[in-house]
């Protein structure tokens, strides 16, 4: 159980990723709410309702792709640091961090 908490803390420490996810949820909710309002005025089964659903799906899909890109981009610096940190110097020795000294 302690391991799960530690893993969850590591997943949640990327503020850019977390903010992007929250913004995406907010956007999806806004699109859904506006679609419900439009359909309540124009009718569920009409052409306007169907067009609203289609455009809402397109908007949410585009926002989801943007969110994925932001998440991957925000993880890149940490992954680069980890790969550089683990490399060996020219003599084949592990590099020492300033913390190890």
């Amino acid at each position: 159980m302690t391991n799960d908490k530690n893993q969850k803390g590591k997943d949640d420490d990327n503020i850019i990723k977390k903010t992007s996810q929250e913004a995406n949820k907010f956007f999806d909710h806004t699109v859904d709410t506006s679609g419900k309002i439009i359909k309540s005025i124009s009718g569920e089964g009409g052409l306007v309702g169907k067009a609203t659903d289609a455009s809402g799906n397109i908007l949410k899909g585009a926002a989801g792709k943007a969110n994925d890109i932001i998440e991957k981009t925000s993880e890149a610096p940490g992954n680069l640091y980890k790969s550089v940190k683990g490399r060996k110097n020219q003599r084949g020795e592990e590099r020492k961090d300033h913390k190890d000294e």
Side-chain angles (χ1 to χ4, degrees), residues 80-88 94-95 97 99:
L80 177 64
Y81 173 74
K82 288 176 189 174
S83 70
V84 169
K85 184 179 174 186
R87 289 188 183 170
K88 297 182 178 187
E94 288 285 333
R95 290 183 180 178
D97 289 343
K99 295 178 189 175

Side-chain angles (χ1 to χ4, degrees), residues 35-46:
K36 287 178 185 177
I37 292 169
I38 291 170
K39 288 193 284 186
S40 70
I41 295 169
S42 67
E44 286 281 330

Side-chain angles (χ1 to χ4, degrees), residues 22-64:
E22 290 298 319
N24 194 42
K25 287 179 189 176
F26 177 73
F27 182 77
D28 285 354
H29 181 69
T30 303
V31 169
D32 289 341
T33 302
S34 64
K36 287 178 185 177
I37 292 169
I38 291 170
K39 288 193 284 186
S40 70
I41 295 169
S42 67
E44 286 281 330
L47 181 60
V48 173
K50 290 179 182 178
T52 300
D53 286 340
S55 62
N57 290 339
I58 291 168
L59 289 172
K60 289 193 294 184

